[in-house]
Amino acid sequence: QTVESDERALLNVDEGIRFSKDSLFQMNLRFRMQNRAGFNSIYDGENLGVEQFEMRVRRLRLRFDGYVLSPKFQYYIQLAFSKADLDLETGDIAQPVRDAILYYTINKNLYLGFGQSKLPGNRERVISSGNLQFADRSIANSLFTLDRDFGLFGYYTLRTRSQSIFLLKGAISSGDGRNASAVNNGLSYTGRIEALPFGVFRNSGDYSEGDLEFEPLPKLSVGITLSENQKAIRTGGQLGAELFQARTLNSLIVDAMFKYQGWALMSEYMSRSTKDPITTNEVGDVRFVIVGKGVNTHVSRMIGPKSELALRYAFVVPDKSIDMYLERVDESLIGFTHYLNGHRIKIQANLGYRWLEGLYQIENSGNSWTGMFQVEFGI
Amino acid sequence: QTVESDERALLNVDEGIRFSKDSLFQMNLRFRMQNRAGFNSIYDGENLGVEQFEMRVRRLRLRFDGYVLSPKFQYYIQLAFSKADLDLETGDIAQPVRDAILYYTINKNLYLGFGQSKLPGNRERVISSGNLQFADRSIANSLFTLDRDFGLFGYYTLRTRSQSIFLLKGAISSGDGRNASAVNNGLSYTGRIEALPFGVFRNSGDYSEGDLEFEPLPKLSVGITLSENQKAIRTGGQLGAELFQARTLNSLIVDAMFKYQGWALMSEYMSRSTKDPITTNEVGDVRFVIVGKGVNTHVSRMIGPKSELALRYAFVVPDKSIDMYLERVDESLIGFTHYLNGHRIKIQANLGYRWLEGLYQIENSGNSWTGMFQVEFGI
Amino acid sequence: QTVESDERALLNVDEGIRFSKDSLFQMNLRFRMQNRAGFNSIYDGENLGVEQFEMRVRRLRLRFDGYVLSPKFQYYIQLAFSKADLDLETGDIAQPVRDAILYYTINKNLYLGFGQSKLPGNRERVISSGNLQFADRSIANSLFTLDRDFGLFGYYTLRTRSQSIFLLKGAISSGDGRNASAVNNGLSYTGRIEALPFGVFRNSGDYSEGDLEFEPLPKLSVGITLSENQKAIRTGGQLGAELFQARTLNSLIVDAMFKYQGWALMSEYMSRSTKDPITTNEVGDVRFVIVGKGVNTHVSRMIGPKSELALRYAFVVPDKSIDMYLERVDESLIGFTHYLNGHRIKIQANLGYRWLEGLYQIENSGNSWTGMFQVEFGI
């Protein structure tokens, strides 16, 4: 089973439906959905009861990968249809297009992309939502990810005489996120370098959570991303509500993935800064850039050929300049996953605890427990 | 031609496009659309003229059915794209996902579903919109159906020594309808039993309108549904505008389908009740649970090998507690359908009359005539 | 490579994915996307700087063409997913359905359509957005096109003893545009006649921009459309914001396409009129019918077997009755296109200048430069 990449068209897959005509044409058609049922239990100062049931289709995707004319001209299109996928949980503009990008392969080490796709940002975001080991990405990702954008992308693989490999990735993009309208003349610049000192992971495991491949030898990938988003107009750059005035945002991301014999360790640090994060309108309403930092760490171990136990600890610390609006949040999760067919068909159970302002005692108002059962099903 | 079911993945179809790989994988791809042109003629107290032309794509659907890994793991996904299908005639959140459910087959008599699909409620709703004999479902269905929901579904077939068969269906679901966000901790419980004393219908005819199969022997199905939707927040539970306060809704549904030699009789009774259906906000606006009852009856006869004449009489009677807000409505329709390719390609003409408060005289203000021409086209 | 038509199902294509079963069933599945990056540079009275970058997926389409039961029963469905395609740049109702129409072929000269598709209006609109030689259609089209509508369509080919051919096209439609709800009892009537005195174009070149076929002999098509849209409720009839009162709109369109040995000339004149275009509500807000006229002319020449240079000059002149609300606009563009695989895969670069009130001097406030790079990619 080939691990899907969100930075490349997926040409060789066993699953899925493939149409092809010699070297002139190929299309792989795939779908996947994530159905879930869970609860949130928020301590209201007196009781700890189930506050909400969350039962829904979290993701429903159609994906088309392939090439036309020649394998050099590749495309990758992903459409999304669930309410959360369409951005309709938080916004009011339906956004079915997740990815729509063309790739031109210059040589075996270099290819360019033009279109909408994920920026080379934090690892947990770039890992496809189909390759996660928890039902949702972390709170650090929610606040500080670079997410998707439209622009020009470049990917270069630098091979060395040893087994070490370096990946260089860059993008010049609109900076305003998915399906943005033209707003101003500010662009976003993103650069990333990844080092794989012990060589490539089996089956693209550096972009898949959990060591399902049981790497016989230790494998490590370390990545650093720098991003400057000029004249950004959303609270998180590519994501979030609209600001009242534009700001230039700077992000630093450092992350790593390590795998060995069923063990996997993933960690990422993200920070965002700007001059004067607070924007106001004429009547005094405030909207602010989410500045500060976040850390997310996963440790997991395969406890059987198809079963895995995973732990997450993540936290976000808003910068002092906005701490009257946003609190520190910590979260801790334990997850069990049974992989019936790799990441394509899996059953997941998560139990988590989230606390505010660093006060982990259950008596603190606003602290919450969450439990989630999710089935991922796709081809 | 296999009749499609909305409570099961459709694995064996002649039409449609099938992709399969031994017993490891199967996908049936199908689409259908309903294009219509009609008029509404409302008596305004002086004239009876054509008030409105209704010309539009009423439904446009893509449907994916199949299994992955083993025929035990089935899926059924249905996407909808027309304005009415997306709920954009009445709401403002685009909802392309109609069905997205996984089925696990335990044995030949029992299977479970997890995801979003139709609740085992009134028969006319559970019959696919592709198998209707009128252009639209009845007014009784509009007000009192249980519609679709997200949750856990169970389907059990109880076979007896005689030809009699009993179907037991149940669901525990969010109670808030399609693509609902997490709102509170109230769930919905639905149970249904169906008795088929003379055995199964040809080609799943108990869930298809009209006796296109010309049943040689009488066939009958009788169903009873009970539902309790706790802490519902919409005026119809799974459907409708948001209430100002949550309510627990109770529904009773009794329905039957009878077919014999080209004749078909379908009837259903639905009622909904709650304590104190009226909810108000602080400024005194009112939103109310739609409590009361509705009845819908169809009689039809095949007047040729591919042509059918059908009659509908339906009415809804709001409960006294809300009768200052909602009136009794009666409707009567006559329908002619020519089935070019079963229910998949058919041409329909309907003529109907609708009257308010039980006053069927045409002079009553608000009474209306309607005429509709519809072509259904699909594979 | 077959040129796609937006007035017919596309049955014979080399590209795309075809499913078929003898003469019982056929489906062609195709997609295409247009990714673009460009700028707008508006003179603000002091500086001429890049005001905005426009970087986005302009169009993303899925198209299904085919027949069921017999080649006489054809269908053509087109779904659109980008933000602009969904009408979410200007409106707030997601509209994924572009085309959804059934065709019934009576004989080789006559076929009827029932559903939603393009009205037989101005040529540049009816030419598929996949067959354009500039990144966008002209400003004349924006204001005065008849666009798409739902209704009954008829297409008749009148053959003569000579090579001359006449095409007669007509439609009775809702007049309210794509996916309109029932609003009133006004319909829209459209009639068009096209004369091709020198016979048919190679590969349907009368509905494709640019002479990619290098017509060896001169070919000409001249078309005239008359339209009356009764009780229209939108500022442009089938398009635009809602009016406060309904109006009956009359349109006249004259257009022509000429091709010869790599040269192509396309020109169209459009006008719209109504009695009293101004509508007001009780508080005095004004919404007006866009009355006036527009002209768009393209001249292009193939400068290589796959490369083309094109010029556009277009202007719109609002009628005097609305000239306090809307100004005259002129635009001029130069475009280079490299056709890697005909219109299916092409790279386009446009440079344009737009001026207001006929004042072409760059010092005039509001005048603007625009540059656009676009890649079209599809099958």
Side-chain angles (χ1 to χ4, degrees):
Chain A
Q1 188 185 57
T2 316
V3 162
E4 69 186 2
S5 159
D6 278 8
E7 292 183 335
R8 213 180 252 279
L10 195 60
L11 299 186
N12 299 304
V13 279
D14 290 332
E15 282 93 359
I17 297 165
R18 181 191 297 196
F19 309 101
S20 69
K21 237 184 260 178
D22 311 322
S23 63
L24 275 172
F25 174 74
Q26 188 188 303
M27 182 184 203
N28 291 316
L29 170 61
R30 293 172 52 221
F31 78 88
R32 67 187 160 87
M33 63 175 148
Q34 293 180 355
N35 287 351
R36 61 167 60 174
F39 68 89
N40 291 306
S41 181
I42 302 168
Y43 189 73
D44 63 2
E46 298 192 5
N47 288 294
L48 181 77
V50 169
E51 196 70 18
Q52 293 178 326
F53 285 113
E54 180 186 338
M55 299 175 79
R56 55 178 173 141
V57 182
R58 174 64 181 81
R59 293 183 176 91
L60 184 80
R61 306 275 176 91
L62 287 182
R63 185 173 167 152
F64 307 87
D65 293 89
Y67 57 78
V68 184
L69 266 192
S70 138
K72 277 179 179 300
F73 299 107
Q74 302 178 8
Y75 60 91
Y76 160 33
I77 295 172
Q78 190 175 216
L79 301 177
F81 296 104
S82 79
K83 192 178 170 188
D85 264 350
L86 288 166
D87 287 3
L88 294 176
E89 292 283 346
T90 50
D92 54 4
I93 296 194
Q95 308 262 43
V97 180
R98 304 295 285 190
D99 301 277
I101 187 165
L102 308 172
Y103 293 112
Y104 177 64
T105 305
I106 294 172
N107 59 48
K108 74 180 177 104
N109 291 324
L110 178 62
Y111 65 101
L112 301 176
F114 179 59
Q116 179 175 299
S117 191
K118 288 181 181 174
L119 287 173
N122 64 305
R123 194 175 296 263
E124 192 180 34
R125 165 63 68 189
V126 179
I127 290 174
S128 166
S129 61
N131 293 332
L132 301 178
Q133 62 193 170
F134 291 97
D136 284 304
R137 291 193 182 87
S138 77
I139 49 173
N141 179 83
S142 301
L143 293 189
F144 298 108
T145 188
L146 298 182
D147 200 55
R148 286 176 167 92
D149 215 345
F150 186 100
L152 186 66
F153 297 74
Y155 298 89
Y156 181 68
T157 303
L158 180 67
R159 299 175 205 276
T160 63
R161 285 188 201 174
S162 71
Q163 59 184 352
S164 304
I165 274 195
F166 296 87
L167 305 175
L168 284 82
K169 306 177 179 182
I172 300 173
S173 59
S174 78
D176 304 316
R178 285 186 286 123
N179 309 301
S181 302
V183 279
N184 62 31
N185 60 0
L187 295 178
S188 179
Y189 304 87
T190 309
R192 178 171 169 90
I193 180 164
E194 291 172 32
L196 287 80
F198 313 131
V200 294
F201 288 61
R202 284 193 176 193
N203 197 4
S204 306
D206 46 342
Y207 278 94
S208 173
E209 298 187 359
D211 185 17
L212 280 72
E213 306 290 331
F214 294 85
E215 291 281 359
L217 295 171
K219 287 292 161 65
L220 174 70
S221 169
V222 178
I224 298 179
T225 292
L226 282 169
S227 156
E228 174 162 313
N229 190 345
Q230 297 178 347
K231 298 193 186 175
I233 50 149
R234 303 177 71 177
T235 59
Q238 284 78 3
L239 287 176
E242 240 178 83
L243 295 169
F244 293 121
Q245 291 92 33
R247 289 288 184 271
T248 293
L249 313 184
N250 288 282
S251 294
L252 166 66
I253 298 170
V254 183
D255 57 57
M257 175 72 88
F258 174 80
K259 292 188 178 181
Y260 181 48
Q261 291 188 345
W263 285 89
L265 171 72
M266 180 177 79
S267 190
E268 51 190 3
Y269 164 88
M270 290 175 265
S271 72
R272 184 188 292 124
S273 61
T274 189
K275 282 182 202 151
D276 188 12
I278 312 285
T279 72
T280 52
N281 66 1
E282 57 279 2
V283 300
D285 296 330
V286 167
R287 291 188 190 158
F288 55 90
V289 177
I290 298 167
V291 285
K293 63 185 181 194
V295 173
N296 176 36
T297 304
H298 291 191
V299 184
S300 67
R301 180 161 203 274
M302 297 299 290
I303 56 172
K306 295 187 161 193
S307 298
E308 179 200 72
L309 215 54
L311 291 171
R312 167 192 287 163
Y313 170 60
F315 63 90
V316 289
V317 185
D319 186 76
K320 281 196 175 156
S321 55
I322 59 164
D323 68 0
M324 67 282 262
Y325 306 112
L326 205 62
E327 298 175 316
R328 175 187 172 121
V329 185
D330 290 62
E331 73 170 2
S332 178
L333 272 96
I334 182 165
F336 170 80
T337 303
H338 185 66
Y339 298 96
L340 274 92
N341 189 29
H343 275 287
R344 300 284 161 77
I345 303 182
K346 66 191 177 208
I347 299 173
Q348 298 179 287
N350 292 177
L351 190 67
Y353 182 59
R354 185 175 290 200
W355 63 100
L356 306 182
E357 301 176 81
L359 304 168
Y360 56 82
Q361 299 86 343
I362 185 66
E363 297 82 23
N364 189 40
S365 173
N367 286 4
S368 61
W369 284 92
T370 184
M372 185 60 67
F373 171 78
Q374 180 168 291
V375 181
E376 167 129 15
F377 195 89
I379 57 173
Chain B
Q1 188 184 57
T2 317
V3 162
E4 69 186 1
S5 159
D6 278 7
E7 292 183 337
R8 212 181 254 280
L10 195 61
L11 299 186
N12 299 303
V13 279
D14 289 335
E15 282 93 357
I17 297 165
R18 181 191 297 197
F19 309 100
S20 68
K21 238 184 262 179
D22 311 323
S23 64
L24 274 173
F25 175 74
Q26 188 188 303
M27 183 184 202
N28 291 316
L29 169 62
R30 293 172 51 220
F31 77 89
R32 67 189 159 86
M33 63 175 149
Q34 293 179 355
N35 286 351
R36 61 167 59 175
F39 68 90
N40 292 306
S41 180
I42 302 169
Y43 189 72
D44 64 1
E46 297 192 5
N47 287 296
L48 182 76
V50 169
E51 197 70 17
Q52 293 178 325
F53 285 112
E54 180 186 339
M55 300 175 79
R56 56 179 172 138
V57 182
R58 174 63 181 82
R59 292 182 177 93
L60 183 76
R61 306 275 177 91
L62 287 182
R63 183 173 169 153
F64 307 86
D65 293 89
Y67 57 78
V68 184
L69 265 191
S70 138
K72 276 180 180 301
F73 299 108
Q74 302 178 10
Y75 60 90
Y76 160 34
I77 295 173
Q78 189 175 216
L79 301 177
F81 296 103
S82 79
K83 191 178 171 188
D85 264 350
L86 287 167
D87 286 4
L88 295 176
E89 291 284 345
T90 51
D92 55 4
I93 295 193
Q95 307 262 43
V97 179
R98 305 295 284 191
D99 301 277
I101 187 165
L102 308 172
Y103 294 112
Y104 177 65
T105 305
I106 295 172
N107 59 48
K108 75 179 177 105
N109 292 325
L110 178 61
Y111 65 100
L112 301 177
F114 180 59
Q116 179 174 299
S117 191
K118 288 181 180 175
L119 286 173
N122 64 305
R123 194 175 294 266
E124 193 180 33
R125 167 62 68 188
V126 178
I127 290 173
S128 166
S129 61
N131 293 331
L132 301 178
Q133 61 193 170
F134 292 98
D136 284 304
R137 292 194 182 86
S138 77
I139 49 172
N141 179 81
S142 301
L143 293 190
F144 297 108
T145 188
L146 297 182
D147 200 55
R148 285 175 166 93
D149 215 345
F150 186 100
L152 186 67
F153 298 73
Y155 299 89
Y156 182 68
T157 304
L158 179 67
R159 299 174 205 276
T160 64
R161 287 191 199 172
S162 72
Q163 59 184 353
S164 303
I165 273 194
F166 295 88
L167 305 175
L168 284 83
K169 305 176 179 181
I172 300 173
S173 58
S174 78
D176 303 316
R178 285 186 285 122
N179 309 301
S181 301
V183 279
N184 62 31
N185 60 0
L187 295 177
S188 178
Y189 304 86
T190 309
R192 179 173 169 92
I193 180 164
E194 291 172 32
L196 287 80
F198 313 132
V200 295
F201 288 61
R202 285 191 175 195
N203 197 5
S204 308
D206 47 342
Y207 278 94
S208 173
E209 298 186 0
D211 186 16
L212 280 72
E213 306 290 330
F214 294 86
E215 290 282 359
L217 294 171
K219 288 291 161 64
L220 175 68
S221 170
V222 178
I224 298 180
T225 292
L226 282 169
S227 157
E228 175 162 312
N229 189 345
Q230 296 177 348
K231 298 193 188 174
I233 51 148
R234 303 177 71 177
T235 59
Q238 283 79 3
L239 286 175
E242 242 179 81
L243 296 169
F244 293 121
Q245 292 92 34
R247 291 288 186 271
T248 292
L249 314 184
N250 288 281
S251 294
L252 166 66
I253 298 169
V254 183
D255 57 57
M257 175 71 89
F258 174 80
K259 292 189 178 181
Y260 181 48
Q261 291 188 345
W263 285 90
L265 172 71
M266 180 178 78
S267 190
E268 51 190 2
Y269 164 90
M270 289 174 266
S271 72
R272 183 188 292 123
S273 62
T274 189
K275 282 182 202 150
D276 187 13
I278 312 284
T279 72
T280 51
N281 66 0
E282 57 280 2
V283 300
D285 296 329
V286 167
R287 291 190 189 158
F288 54 89
V289 177
I290 299 167
V291 285
K293 63 185 181 193
V295 173
N296 176 35
T297 304
H298 291 190
V299 183
S300 68
R301 180 161 202 276
M302 296 299 290
I303 56 172
K306 295 187 161 194
S307 297
E308 179 200 73
L309 216 53
L311 291 172
R312 168 192 286 165
Y313 170 60
F315 63 90
V316 289
V317 185
D319 187 75
K320 280 195 177 156
S321 55
I322 61 164
D323 68 1
M324 65 284 262
Y325 304 112
L326 205 63
E327 299 175 314
R328 176 188 170 119
V329 184
D330 291 63
E331 72 170 2
S332 178
L333 271 97
I334 182 165
F336 169 80
T337 303
H338 184 67
Y339 297 96
L340 274 93
N341 189 27
H343 276 286
R344 300 285 161 76
I345 303 182
K346 66 193 178 205
I347 299 172
Q348 298 180 286
N350 293 176
L351 191 66
Y353 182 59
R354 186 176 288 200
W355 62 100
L356 306 182
E357 302 176 82
L359 303 168
Y360 56 82
Q361 298 86 342
I362 186 65
E363 298 82 23
N364 190 39
S365 173
N367 286 2
S368 62
W369 284 93
T370 184
M372 186 58 69
F373 171 78
Q374 181 168 291
V375 181
E376 168 130 14
F377 195 88
I379 58 172
Chain C
Q1 188 185 58
T2 317
V3 162
E4 68 185 3
S5 160
D6 278 8
E7 292 183 336
R8 213 181 253 278
L10 195 61
L11 299 186
N12 300 303
V13 279
D14 289 334
E15 282 92 358
I17 297 165
R18 181 190 297 196
F19 309 101
S20 69
K21 238 184 262 178
D22 310 324
S23 64
L24 275 172
F25 175 74
Q26 188 187 304
M27 183 185 204
N28 291 315
L29 170 61
R30 293 171 53 220
F31 78 90
R32 67 190 159 86
M33 62 174 150
Q34 293 180 356
N35 286 351
R36 61 167 61 174
F39 67 90
N40 292 306
S41 180
I42 303 169
Y43 190 72
D44 65 0
E46 297 193 5
N47 287 296
L48 181 77
V50 169
E51 197 70 17
Q52 294 177 325
F53 286 111
E54 180 187 338
M55 298 175 80
R56 55 178 173 140
V57 182
R58 173 65 181 81
R59 294 181 175 93
L60 184 78
R61 307 276 176 90
L62 286 182
R63 185 173 168 153
F64 307 86
D65 293 89
Y67 57 78
V68 184
L69 265 192
S70 137
K72 276 180 180 301
F73 299 107
Q74 301 177 8
Y75 60 90
Y76 160 33
I77 296 172
Q78 190 175 216
L79 301 177
F81 296 104
S82 79
K83 190 177 172 190
D85 264 351
L86 287 167
D87 286 3
L88 294 176
E89 291 284 345
T90 51
D92 55 3
I93 295 193
Q95 307 261 43
V97 179
R98 304 295 286 191
D99 301 277
I101 186 165
L102 308 172
Y103 293 113
Y104 177 65
T105 305
I106 294 172
N107 59 47
K108 74 181 177 105
N109 292 325
L110 179 61
Y111 65 100
L112 301 178
F114 179 59
Q116 178 175 301
S117 191
K118 287 180 180 176
L119 287 173
N122 64 306
R123 192 175 297 263
E124 193 180 33
R125 167 62 68 188
V126 178
I127 290 173
S128 167
S129 61
N131 293 331
L132 301 179
Q133 61 194 170
F134 291 97
D136 284 304
R137 292 193 181 86
S138 77
I139 48 173
N141 178 82
S142 301
L143 292 189
F144 297 109
T145 188
L146 298 182
D147 200 55
R148 286 176 167 92
D149 216 345
F150 187 100
L152 186 67
F153 297 74
Y155 299 89
Y156 182 67
T157 303
L158 179 68
R159 298 177 205 276
T160 64
R161 287 190 197 172
S162 72
Q163 60 184 353
S164 303
I165 274 195
F166 295 88
L167 305 175
L168 284 81
K169 306 177 179 181
I172 301 174
S173 58
S174 77
D176 303 315
R178 287 185 286 121
N179 310 301
S181 302
V183 278
N184 62 31
N185 60 1
L187 294 178
S188 177
Y189 304 87
T190 309
R192 179 172 169 91
I193 180 165
E194 291 172 31
L196 287 79
F198 312 131
V200 295
F201 288 61
R202 285 191 176 195
N203 197 5
S204 309
D206 46 343
Y207 278 94
S208 173
E209 298 187 359
D211 185 17
L212 280 71
E213 306 290 330
F214 294 86
E215 290 282 359
L217 294 171
K219 287 292 161 63
L220 175 69
S221 170
V222 178
I224 298 179
T225 292
L226 282 169
S227 157
E228 175 162 311
N229 189 345
Q230 297 176 348
K231 298 193 187 175
I233 50 148
R234 302 177 72 177
T235 59
Q238 283 79 3
L239 286 176
E242 241 179 82
L243 296 168
F244 292 121
Q245 292 92 35
R247 289 290 185 271
T248 292
L249 314 184
N250 288 281
S251 293
L252 166 66
I253 298 169
V254 183
D255 57 57
M257 175 72 88
F258 174 81
K259 292 188 178 182
Y260 181 49
Q261 291 187 345
W263 286 90
L265 171 71
M266 180 178 79
S267 190
E268 52 190 2
Y269 165 89
M270 290 174 265
S271 71
R272 184 187 291 124
S273 62
T274 190
K275 282 183 201 152
D276 187 13
I278 312 284
T279 72
T280 51
N281 66 359
E282 57 279 3
V283 300
D285 296 330
V286 167
R287 290 188 190 159
F288 55 90
V289 177
I290 298 167
V291 286
K293 63 185 181 196
V295 173
N296 176 35
T297 304
H298 291 190
V299 184
S300 67
R301 180 159 202 276
M302 296 298 289
I303 55 171
K306 296 188 161 193
S307 299
E308 180 199 74
L309 216 54
L311 292 171
R312 168 193 285 164
Y313 170 60
F315 63 89
V316 290
V317 185
D319 187 76
K320 281 195 177 157
S321 55
I322 60 164
D323 67 1
M324 66 283 263
Y325 305 112
L326 205 63
E327 297 176 315
R328 175 186 173 124
V329 184
D330 291 62
E331 72 169 3
S332 178
L333 271 96
I334 182 163
F336 170 79
T337 304
H338 184 66
Y339 298 97
L340 273 92
N341 189 28
H343 276 286
R344 300 285 161 75
I345 303 183
K346 66 192 178 207
I347 299 172
Q348 298 180 287
N350 293 176
L351 190 67
Y353 182 59
R354 187 176 288 199
W355 63 98
L356 305 181
E357 302 176 82
L359 304 168
Y360 57 81
Q361 298 87 343
I362 185 66
E363 298 82 24
N364 190 39
S365 173
N367 286 3
S368 62
W369 284 93
T370 183
M372 185 59 68
F373 171 77
Q374 181 169 290
V375 181
E376 168 131 14
F377 195 89
I379 58 171

